[in-house]
């Protein structure tokens, strides 16, 4: 059982790293991938264990970018672990309970460090708008490709060639959707006060 769990974790880690290229990894890309995974929760045919494994892999990748990126992913991991219990009478098995406790302890140790001064806050309207932009961009790209594929190879190439070019207003150079989201994140954080930078926005009510 332990060997199977270890293999599942390794597979999820490889899957996450395979889709997210090391040299292209950014906080915005972690956030976008997290939103993609979370948006599939509750959908018919969704494998809850696979979803949890992907979130756990992302939480490990997120550590390199600090608490502002890691904490929101940890919150989704914890929620996904509770989602594994299908009915009100279900309960966590011991390994899952210990894992969940570990993630809670990790989040608590970060937020409890008075010297660092991290705290959590509810997402603002601007946060919601940015998250919505990320999801719309992902869904729009997938929709164009699906439509193109259904039209054959020529349609797929046309869908790619007609994709709107994004221009960085600061440099005048073409940028990708992921580069745009990261640029907007950096520009937004540059305008934040010290208190705002130390406030980690997470979904849900507090």
């Amino acid at each position: 059982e332990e060997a199977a769990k270890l293999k599942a974790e390794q597979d999820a880690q490889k899957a996450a790293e395979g889709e997210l290229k090391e040299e292209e990894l950014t906080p915005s890309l972690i956030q976008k991938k997290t939103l993609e995974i979370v948006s599939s929760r509750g959908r018919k045919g969704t494998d809850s264990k696979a979803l949890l494994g992907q979130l756990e892999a992302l939480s490990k990748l997120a550590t390199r970018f600090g608490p502002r990126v890691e904490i929101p992913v940890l919150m989704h991991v914890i929620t996904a672990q509770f989602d594994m219990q299908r009915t009100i009478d279900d309960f966590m098995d011991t390994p899952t309970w210990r894992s969940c406790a570990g993630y809670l302890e990790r989040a608590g140790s970060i937020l409890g460090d008075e010297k660092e001064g991290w705290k959590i806050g509810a997402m603002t309207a601007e946060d919601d708008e940015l998250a919505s932009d990320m999801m719309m961009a992902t869904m729009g790209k997938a929709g164009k490709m699906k439509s193109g594929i259904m039209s054959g190879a020529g349609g797929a190439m046309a869908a790619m060639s007609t994709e709107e070019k994004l221009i960085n207003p600061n440099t005048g150079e073409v940028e990708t959707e992921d580069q745009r989201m990261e640029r907007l994140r950096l520009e937004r954080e540059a305008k934040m006060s010290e208190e705002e930078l130390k406030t980690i926005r997470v979904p849900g009510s507090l």
Side-chain angles (χ1 to χ4, degrees):
E1 183 179 344
E2 286 296 325
K5 182 180 178 183
L6 179 60
K7 185 179 185 305
E9 291 177 351
Q10 291 173 339
D11 289 344
Q13 181 78 17
K14 288 178 181 178
E17 291 177 345
E19 292 181 28
L20 304 177
K21 295 180 181 179
E22 187 79 18
E23 65 276 12
E24 298 177 358
L25 202 59
T26 64
S28 294
L29 198 53
I30 291 286
Q31 183 182 8
K32 187 179 82 168
K33 186 60 181 176
T34 301
L35 289 172
E36 288 176 11
I37 295 171
V38 172
S39 68
S40 67
R41 282 173 52 197
R43 291 183 184 175
K44 186 177 181 181
T46 299
D47 186 333
S48 299
K49 288 185 178 180
L51 184 149
L52 173 58
Q54 291 172 349
L55 286 173
E56 288 181 316
L58 279 176
S59 72
K60 292 179 175 63
L61 295 174
T63 57
R64 70 187 68 182
F65 297 115
R68 283 184 63 84
V69 180
E70 183 186 3
I71 290 292
V73 183
L74 287 177
M75 295 299 190
H76 285 301
V77 170
I78 294 166
T79 299
Q81 287 178 316
F82 277 96
D83 281 351
M84 296 289 288
Q85 323 320 309
R86 295 296 183 183
T87 71
I88 195 171
D89 294 322
D90 286 346
F91 55 88
M92 288 184 180
D93 56 37
T94 301
T96 303
W97 185 90
R98 287 176 176 166
S99 174
C100 187
Y103 287 119
L104 283 168
E105 184 177 4
R106 168 65 179 169
S109 66
I110 294 172
L111 297 171
D113 189 337
E114 295 183 1
K115 183 178 179 181
E116 291 295 330
W118 293 105
K119 62 181 180 180
I120 57 176
M123 290 180 68
T124 64
E126 188 176 0
D127 294 317
D128 289 332
E129 184 177 350
L130 286 172
S132 179
D133 285 346
M134 284 187 178
M135 289 307 302
M136 289 299 291
T138 301
M139 291 169 65
K141 186 180 295 184
K144 287 180 182 178
M145 286 306 300
K146 182 177 180 181
S147 177
I149 290 170
M150 290 177 69
S151 301
M157 291 301 293
M160 292 176 67
S161 63
T162 57
E163 187 174 332
E164 181 183 359
K165 285 188 177 180
L166 300 173
I167 305 298
N168 185 323
N170 301 320
T171 64
E173 298 178 353
V174 176
E175 62 183 359
T176 65
E177 186 65 44
D178 291 334
Q179 289 171 336
R180 172 179 173 271
M181 296 308 301
E182 179 62 12
R183 173 175 59 79
L184 292 176
R185 183 192 69 83
L186 290 171
E187 290 175 357
R188 184 187 179 207
E189 290 192 355
K191 299 175 183 177
M192 289 182 177
S193 65
E194 182 65 24
E195 183 178 359
E196 289 174 323
L197 283 170
K198 286 293 185 179
T199 303
I200 304 169
R201 302 295 176 180
V202 297
S205 58
L206 301 173

